[in-house]
Amino acid sequence: MTTDQRPIGVFDSGIGGLSVLQALQKELPHERFVYIADNAHAPYGEKSEAFISQRSHAIAEHLLAQHHIKALVVACNTATAVAIHELRSRHPTLPLVGVEPALKPALALSQTRRIGVIATRGTVGSDKFARLLDSVQDGAQFVVQACNGLALAIEQSTLPDQAAAAQEHITHLLKTYTQAMGRFGSAPGEIDTLVLGCTHYVFVQNELRALVGPDVQLVSTGEPVARQTRRLLAAAGFLHASPVAETQRLHLFTTGDLKGLQAAAKRWLGLPPHLCQAVPASLQT
Ligand code: DGL
């Protein structure tokens, strides 16, 4: 334990990473956090690898130079799949944690050995995901569904003038994608475990639950990522020992619509709007 008050940087293409931030704050109540939502460039999952990589590097550099972060959490499956390897080689001494679809935990939970995975097209099309899938096959069947449009609709659902239409679109997409995956339930041959392979999807888990039924386990990654962050901070000797002032605990930034981030932070984490700000123009493009 130390007096190292430098914050932990967290970023996502938008508001999805707030689900990871919530778990991080719970696991590490004495740490400070700076969160960047790259809303102006969401969804990452439908962009090129070169673009996602360029944005991930720009955000990491910004967090290091402007906020002097002591660790970085890439709270986005898509950015992790595309850029974590390069981020690690550019910043070899920075504790870095990524998120990936929780296939191994799902395998341990499933009784029917039929597991659903929903994620962005960028994640399911990545080499990293192909390797992960290969490493866990173990006689189980994984039904993988790319959910084009879903992360964007979840982003839009926080913007007051688009919320109603976005909510309708979310319902339609969730129905379409879950129907395409086959039967959910606990009987043999049914999908009994569903991996939420995009951090945005945690915020529609109630709607998902209503579609797949009460017997299906929904698996997300916030908590294991928070525990891994604690382990890395402890190993580096960077864990902060005592509470920090409330005003210092959290700052949220967006490259996009400030009102959208404020609404999402309030709706899902109960956070006051004054914690949210726009990023400097240098990070906007
Ligand atoms: N929340 C992100 C993820 O976990 C990305 C969603 C997107 O921007 O496509 O994959």
Side-chain angles (χ1 to χ4, degrees):
M1 296 277 184
T2 69
T3 53
D4 189 342
Q5 284 216 14
R6 288 175 301 158
I8 297 167
V10 184
F11 81 91
D12 177 42
S13 64
I15 55 174
L18 292 175
S19 62
V20 178
L21 178 68
Q22 192 169 36
L24 283 164
Q25 285 200 295
K26 203 162 160 216
E27 177 72 26
L28 296 161
H30 295 165
E31 300 295 340
R32 297 173 54 214
F33 294 92
V34 175
Y35 182 91
I36 294 186
D38 197 12
N39 306 90
H41 303 102
Y44 280 3
E46 291 159 48
K47 300 267 173 19
S48 71
E49 293 205 349
F51 181 83
I52 300 164
S53 174
Q54 181 251 317
R55 287 308 297 164
S56 302
H57 289 299
I59 293 169
E61 299 293 346
H62 173 84
L63 284 165
L64 282 161
Q66 303 302 319
H67 298 281
H68 313 290
I69 56 168
K70 61 181 173 184
L72 177 62
V73 179
V74 181
C76 174
N77 293 264
T78 315
T80 300
V82 172
I84 196 107
H85 186 66
E86 255 185 65
L87 283 169
R88 285 194 205 288
S89 51
R90 279 201 204 180
H91 307 286
T93 57
L94 180 71
L96 238 164
V97 184
V99 299
E100 64 180 16
L103 303 192
K104 282 177 205 151
L107 199 56
L109 290 169
S110 174
Q111 297 294 316
T112 63
R113 315 282 290 162
R114 200 166 162 80
I115 296 163
V117 184
I118 51 174
T120 70
R121 187 172 68 204
T123 296
V124 305
S126 67
D127 294 344
K128 193 167 188 295
F129 182 73
R131 284 196 299 274
L132 178 65
L133 202 54
D134 267 357
S135 72
V136 294
Q137 284 294 347
D138 191 23
Q141 283 179 306
F142 286 88
V143 180
V144 179
Q145 178 68 48
C147 297
N148 287 345
L150 185 53
L152 181 62
I154 295 168
E155 287 282 315
Q156 290 167 338
S157 73
T158 63
L159 302 171
D161 56 332
Q162 299 179 35
Q167 197 52 54
E168 226 174 87
H169 193 43
I170 289 170
T171 307
H172 166 74
L173 290 174
L174 289 176
K175 256 192 210 147
T176 308
Y177 291 135
T178 50
Q179 269 168 16
M181 296 174 79
R183 289 180 61 83
F184 288 84
S186 53
E190 292 182 333
I191 298 171
D192 71 348
T193 308
L194 179 62
V195 176
L196 310 188
C198 169
T199 52
H200 279 71
Y201 302 169
V202 175
F203 295 125
V204 292
Q205 57 182 323
N206 292 343
E207 289 95 321
L208 267 170
R209 158 78 53 225
L211 287 167
V212 300
D215 297 337
V216 174
Q217 318 198 55
L218 304 181
V219 187
S220 55
T221 28
E223 280 147 24
V225 163
R227 287 196 295 273
Q228 173 66 357
T229 308
R230 167 181 280 283
R231 277 193 288 273
L232 289 192
L233 286 175
F238 291 168
L239 267 181
H240 190 244
S242 53
V244 286
E246 190 60 36
T247 51
Q248 301 258 308
R249 288 204 61 213
L250 174 64
H251 293 286
L252 302 143
F253 294 86
T254 175
T255 57
D257 186 321
L258 185 57
K259 287 213 160 45
L261 180 62
Q262 288 174 325
K266 170 123 188 52
R267 174 167 160 199
W268 287 316
L269 270 59
L271 296 170
H274 73 261
L275 295 181
C276 304
Q277 299 165 56
V279 296
S282 56
L283 191 60
Q284 244 138 17
T285 50

